[in-house]
Amino acid sequence: MLIDTYGRVATDLRVSLTDRCNLRCTYCMPEEGLQWLAKPDLLTDDEIVRLIDIAVTSLGIEEVRFTGGEPLLRPGLVGIVERVAALAPRPQMSLTTNGIGLKRTAKALKAAGLDRVNVSLDTLRPDVFKTLTRRDRHQDVLDGLRAARDAGLTPVKVNSVLMPGLNDDEAPDLLSWALEHEYELRFIEQMPLDAQHGWKRDGMVTAGDILASLRTRFELTPEGAGERGSAPAERWLVDGGPQRVGVIASVTRPFCAACDRTRLTADGQIRTCLFAQEETDLRAALRSDAPDEEIARIWRLAMWGKKAGAGLDDPTFVQPDRPMSAIGG
C-alpha cells in the first residue's frame, strides 16, 4: 500500500513514457522545444513494465494512466499496454494524448487492452489551434478523437484549457460539440507548469469564469460530492443529464485532500505531486539489480513523505523546475 502521513492511499499511477511532444503548446513549452532526455536516461520498456508490475502486485495500484510528453511517440507503447494488461490483478488502463496519432493507433491500443483515452483539445477553431500549439494539426486531432470513439476507447474524455484572449469565449461551443459527438468534456484551469514560467494567477480563466460562460447556454446541475470520489473533476449534469461536463479547478479549488495519485517520470523518478520540488530515484535501484521488495520499499518511503497540498495558494509557491511535458499530466 502507498499511504502518506495524512492517511491518503495512492491507487492511481501516472506513467510518463516520454518527455517529447509533437506540439508546442504555449502553456507547456517554448516554440523551439526543450532539451530532451537522452535515450540512456529513459526507462526501457522492460523497466516500465517491471515498475508497473511492482506497483500493481505489491503496492495496491488499481489504475494506470500513460502520459508524456506525448505517449503515442513511444515506439513500444502498444507492447507495454499489452504486457500491463496481462498482469494479475489487471489494472484499469487509460492514455492522455494530444490525439494526433490516434487515427492510426486506436484499434491496436484497444486490442492490446487499453480501456479509454483522454484527448487534449482547447479549441474548435483551426487558426486558434495553430496559435496555441504552433502546429497546423487540428484536423488530425479531430480524426483521432473519432477513431478512439469508433475503436471503443470510451468514454472518450476531452481536456480543454482556456486562455485569455485566445479561446476564453469557446466554452459553450466546446460543450455543444462534445455533446453532439458523445465525448465527455472537462475544462482544466491553466496550471503553473510551463517551461517559460510565464503563468500568472491573475490572468487565468478560472472555474468560476468557465461555469458562468456555460450557464449562458446550458442548465448545469451539480452531480454531487458522493459521485466525485477522488476524481479531480467536479461534474455537472447538462440540461438534466445524463451527459455531463467537468471542471478541474486545480488552482482555485484544489482537491489535494482526496489525491490518490503517484507519478513515475520517463526517466524513472517518483513524484508525489505534479508540483513537487523533490523526486525519488527508482531507475538507479532498477539498474543496480535491486530486488522488487527493495524498490517497493523505496516507493513506499517516497509516498509517506507526500505533502498535504500543492501550495498553489501560498504566496511563496515556487514553480517546479521540470515542465509538464517532462513529468506527465
Side-chain angles (χ1 to χ4, degrees):
M1 180 182 293
L2 291 171
I3 189 170
D4 64 33
T5 55
Y6 299 93
R8 296 169 298 192
V9 178
T11 58
D12 183 337
L13 170 61
R14 304 297 169 101
V15 181
S16 175
L17 297 179
T18 178
D19 59 331
R20 296 175 184 264
C21 188
N22 41 13
L23 297 180
R24 296 291 181 270
C25 296
T26 56
Y27 52 77
C28 186
M29 69 172 75
E31 186 171 5
E32 65 274 14
L34 300 167
Q35 183 173 349
W36 310 121
L37 292 167
K39 188 173 182 180
D41 293 335
L42 293 170
L43 293 177
T44 66
D45 293 0
D46 287 344
E47 289 170 335
I48 289 170
V49 173
R50 182 183 173 195
L51 288 176
I52 296 174
D53 188 357
I54 293 170
V56 168
T57 60
S58 301
L59 298 174
I61 290 298
E62 299 171 358
E63 299 179 43
V64 176
R65 171 84 60 86
F66 297 108
T67 70
E70 173 45 52
L72 295 181
L73 296 180
R74 177 89 187 198
L77 172 60
V78 172
I80 291 172
V81 170
E82 190 170 35
R83 292 168 68 183
V84 173
L87 297 177
R90 180 198 185 282
Q92 287 290 306
M93 286 185 293
S94 58
L95 178 84
T96 294
T97 171
N98 62 32
I100 288 176
L102 272 178
K103 184 178 179 180
R104 70 173 186 277
T105 57
K107 288 183 179 179
L109 287 168
K110 180 64 176 179
L114 191 70
D115 294 301
R116 63 172 191 82
V117 294
N118 286 27
V119 180
S120 300
L121 180 65
D122 303 321
T123 178
L124 299 177
R125 306 168 184 163
D127 59 325
V128 176
F129 182 91
K130 188 173 181 180
T131 298
L132 279 169
T133 67
R134 305 184 180 103
R135 298 290 187 271
D136 190 11
R137 306 295 298 273
H138 189 257
Q139 188 59 50
D140 293 326
V141 180
L142 297 180
D143 292 344
L145 278 161
R146 189 178 304 110
R149 184 192 62 199
D150 293 347
L153 293 170
T154 54
V156 175
K157 296 184 179 181
V158 176
N159 296 337
S160 295
V161 175
L162 299 183
M163 305 281 287
L166 285 173
N167 63 339
D168 54 341
D169 61 335
E170 286 197 67
D173 290 338
L174 280 162
L175 180 52
S176 179
W177 166 82
L179 296 174
E180 177 186 353
H181 293 279
E182 299 182 338
Y183 305 139
E184 185 173 325
L185 180 63
R186 308 189 313 170
F187 292 98
I188 304 175
E189 289 182 337
Q190 184 192 1
M191 293 179 284
L193 289 167
D194 58 309
Q196 310 92 290
H197 291 198
W199 178 86
K200 290 181 175 59
R201 185 188 181 103
D202 58 4
M204 61 176 284
V205 180
T206 68
D209 297 331
I210 294 165
L211 291 170
S213 179
L214 292 175
R215 286 184 170 120
T216 63
R217 197 182 302 177
F218 302 95
E219 179 184 345
L220 302 182
T221 306
E223 188 177 51
E227 296 290 334
R228 182 179 181 184
S230 61
E234 295 179 75
R235 296 190 300 189
W236 283 262
L237 297 175
V238 180
D239 292 338
Q243 292 175 297
R244 299 168 298 189
V245 63
V247 179
I248 299 177
S250 305
V251 179
T252 62
R253 297 205 284 262
F255 38 86
C256 301
C259 182
D260 64 350
R261 298 177 184 179
T262 182
R263 299 174 182 275
L264 178 65
T265 68
D267 56 348
Q269 311 299 306
I270 288 299
R271 293 181 69 91
T272 59
C273 173
L274 265 177
F275 303 101
Q277 297 296 326
E278 306 84 20
E279 297 179 335
T280 300
D281 188 4
L282 292 186
R283 184 186 63 196
L286 279 173
R287 295 181 180 178
S288 62
D289 297 324
D292 289 358
E293 294 78 10
E294 173 62 12
I295 292 171
R297 185 194 69 80
I298 296 171
W299 204 328
R300 288 191 191 96
L301 186 61
M303 294 304 296
W304 182 250
K306 184 173 182 172
K307 295 181 178 179
L312 297 183
D313 55 351
D314 186 335
T316 64
F317 169 76
V318 178
Q319 182 171 329
D321 290 334
R322 292 223 227 182
M324 184 161 52
S325 62
I327 58 181

